[in-house]
Amino acid sequence: MFSQLTDSLENTLKNLRGQGKLTEENVAESLREVRRAFLAADVNFNVTRDFVKSVKEKALGSEVLNSVTPGQQIVKIIHDELVAVMGGETKEINLSAPSPVGIMMVGLQGSGKTTFAGKIQYAKDNGFDLVIYDTAGRLQIDEELMQELEKARDAVHPDEILFVADAMIGQEAVNVAETFWNRLNFTGVCLSKMDGDTRGGAALSIKKMTGVPICFIGVGEKLNEIDLFHPDRMASRILGMGDVVSLVEKAQQVIDEKDAKDLKKKILNNTFDLNDFLKQLRTIKKLGRIKDILSLIPGLNKLPLDQIDEKQLVYVEAVLSSMTPKERKKPQIIDGSRKARIAKGSGTDAARVNAVLKQYESMKEMFKKVGDFAKRQNNGGTIGSNYTPPKDKNKKKKR
């Protein structure tokens, strides 16, 4: 997301970092580039104007101009302003009301309301403490639609009303939001399709124009692809700094602590087999799409992530799943006839099976080097405490 905006801002900030000293002239020139980048990203004109004005005032302060690292200072100023314009703090949904808590989703047709709602159908009769009301939409705003939504609101008295906007339509999403706000006074915003060709206009404008914070963003059509919106983390991603915190949180949700310890032990003892390979592959899939994971790591957003073929992982998993547990435990027993059977069972061919086995051998060799390095660095210890170095039989006992 925000790839064009990120590229433009990174180039501008790179020039500022290279300045030995900031002056009113080079700050003004850089902010003109920031202004162009924002407008190209379909950010609201008034939001862009206020953003640039605020950054300029802070950047020309004596503390920045006289700083030994003026380029870094202005990067921080821009980062902080991005956080502020997107709401400042993470919006928490009100779940403290008496059960069941009602959340009403509103927005135009196709904006992503049902995806965010998750298709919950009943609550009171089954003792649920949360009910989400998904409402119908239109391709455009009309009086009939707004009246229907007002009647629905008055009938169910929701504790929260969340407006769902398609982030791909940019500034138009802000215009639609303002109309819904005037009629329904929604309490939060959800931005869908953030994984698409979004330019960032909606995310950077909607809070400023409506006064209502963004709660969630959707980066896919599955429930596990809905993320809580953190303005500070999004600002870091926009500036090309990645979002390691979110990556760690995702990992904590899908990685079992015991499995992690077992894997560490196997790496150190060089006993990593194809069963482990398959388990790690499935864990990676739970984290989400590879390109989305890599985009969270600082520096890797510059890689050609759109060229990553996720289908290759499907083929690898199919090949591994077509092996028997014994074959995955001892891949050296996989001969020509076994490869033919595995290829047939996975819907691939022998070349694909050979490629997977080669990938495994490369990974195992890499893990062996990591394990050997860890043992050397820790003088026979490990990156933890699971490895006990072998006793030296030739070592003399102390008298």
Side-chain angles (χ1 to χ4, degrees):
M1 62 183 82
F2 305 138
S3 57
Q4 293 182 355
L5 177 59
T6 298
D7 290 343
S8 298
L9 289 178
E10 278 193 323
N11 290 333
T12 301
L13 296 177
K14 187 183 297 183
N15 293 333
L16 277 175
R17 290 191 185 100
Q19 299 288 340
K21 183 177 181 180
L22 290 184
T23 65
E24 187 169 352
E25 289 74 22
N26 59 31
V27 168
E29 175 60 30
S30 296
L31 290 180
R32 276 195 290 271
E33 293 301 320
V34 171
R35 179 178 180 275
R36 292 192 188 100
F38 269 45
L39 294 178
D42 210 12
V43 179
N44 178 271
F45 175 79
N46 293 325
V47 174
T48 300
R49 180 195 59 199
D50 293 345
F51 181 91
V52 171
K53 180 181 178 182
S54 180
V55 171
K56 184 176 182 179
E57 290 175 352
K58 295 175 181 177
L60 293 179
S62 59
E63 291 184 3
V64 177
L65 292 178
N66 297 325
S67 171
V68 293
T69 57
Q72 296 296 335
Q73 289 279 65
I74 199 169
V75 170
K76 184 180 186 305
I77 291 172
I78 292 178
H79 176 274
D80 291 346
E81 284 300 312
L82 283 171
V83 173
V85 82
M86 290 187 289
E89 298 179 352
T90 302
K91 155 73 174 174
E92 298 287 343
I93 296 296
N94 176 25
L95 298 176
S96 60
S99 296
V101 175
I103 298 177
M104 180 175 172
M105 315 298 292
V106 300
L108 295 182
Q109 182 177 335
S111 61
K113 298 186 299 300
T114 303
T115 296
F116 275 91
K119 306 177 180 66
I120 297 173
Q121 298 180 356
Y122 54 96
K124 287 185 178 180
D125 295 340
N126 292 273
F128 294 161
D129 56 7
L130 174 68
V131 59
I132 299 179
Y133 305 102
D134 187 15
T135 62
R138 299 281 194 280
L139 292 176
Q140 68 283 325
I141 297 175
D142 57 29
E143 183 61 25
E144 182 182 4
L145 166 65
M146 303 313 297
Q147 289 181 2
E148 287 178 356
L149 293 175
E150 287 172 336
K151 290 179 181 178
R153 176 198 60 193
D154 296 340
V156 300
H157 300 291
D159 298 281
E160 297 269 4
I161 301 178
L162 302 183
F163 170 72
V164 183
D166 182 343
M168 291 183 67
I169 65 175
Q171 180 58 36
E172 184 57 28
V174 181
N175 298 332
V176 174
E178 287 185 295
T179 302
F180 273 80
W181 162 248
N182 291 332
R183 297 292 290 267
L184 296 170
N185 291 331
F186 52 77
T187 57
V189 176
C190 303
L191 291 179
S192 65
K193 306 177 186 177
M194 290 290 284
D195 55 322
D197 186 22
T198 175
R199 290 176 288 177
L204 291 173
S205 304
I206 208 160
K207 169 61 170 68
K208 183 80 171 180
M209 300 306 295
T210 65
V212 181
I214 300 170
C215 301
F216 301 98
I217 58 172
V219 294
E221 296 186 359
K222 298 179 181 178
L223 286 179
N224 62 1
E225 294 176 318
I226 295 176
D227 295 333
L228 194 63
F229 182 77
H230 299 276
D232 54 340
R233 300 182 193 180
M234 189 57 67
S236 294
R237 295 171 72 173
I238 290 173
L239 293 176
M241 300 175 182
D243 184 0
V244 176
V245 177
S246 292
L247 179 59
V248 171
E249 288 180 351
K250 286 178 179 289
Q252 288 176 334
Q253 293 173 5
V254 302
I255 297 176
D256 182 82
E257 185 177 355
K258 182 180 181 301
D259 289 342
K261 290 182 178 179
D262 289 344
L263 176 62
K264 182 173 67 174
K265 188 182 296 185
K266 289 184 177 183
I267 290 175
L268 290 166
N269 295 327
N270 195 29
T271 57
F272 183 86
D273 60 28
L274 286 173
N275 287 307
D276 303 309
F277 191 8
L278 179 59
K279 182 182 291 187
Q280 296 311 309
L281 180 63
R282 288 172 174 168
T283 298
I284 291 173
K285 286 179 62 179
K286 290 179 183 178
L287 285 174
R289 293 177 302 179
I290 297 297
K291 68 176 184 178
D292 293 333
I293 297 171
L294 294 180
S295 70
L296 299 176
I297 303 175
L300 296 190
N301 63 305
K302 286 298 181 183
L303 296 176
L305 301 181
D306 290 335
Q307 297 179 18
I308 295 176
D309 187 2
E310 300 279 342
K311 292 181 180 179
Q312 297 302 318
L313 294 182
V314 177
Y315 294 134
V316 173
E317 184 177 7
V319 169
L320 294 174
S321 299
S322 296
M323 296 177 183
T324 65
K326 183 177 180 181
E327 288 170 340
R328 290 196 293 269
K329 184 71 175 177
K330 298 181 178 180
Q332 62 270 22
I333 69 173
I334 302 177
D335 54 17
S337 61
R338 288 177 183 265
K339 289 179 181 179
R341 191 204 78 246
I342 294 169
K344 185 176 181 180
S346 60
T348 60
D349 53 31
R352 177 76 66 176
V353 177
N354 286 329
V356 170
L357 292 173
K358 186 175 181 180
Q359 288 173 339
Y360 160 71
E361 290 297 335
S362 298
M363 183 180 292
K364 189 175 182 181
E365 180 61 27
M366 178 190 70
F367 283 164
K368 182 179 184 301
K369 292 178 180 178
V370 171
D372 291 343
F373 176 77
K375 294 172 187 176
R376 290 196 303 271
Q377 289 295 103
N378 290 275
N379 192 27
T382 179
I383 313 173
S385 58
N386 291 327
Y387 176 80
T388 303
K391 294 182 178 179
D392 188 350
K393 295 180 180 180
N394 298 319
K395 188 174 182 180
K396 294 182 179 179
K397 294 183 179 180
K398 292 184 179 179
R399 294 182 181 272

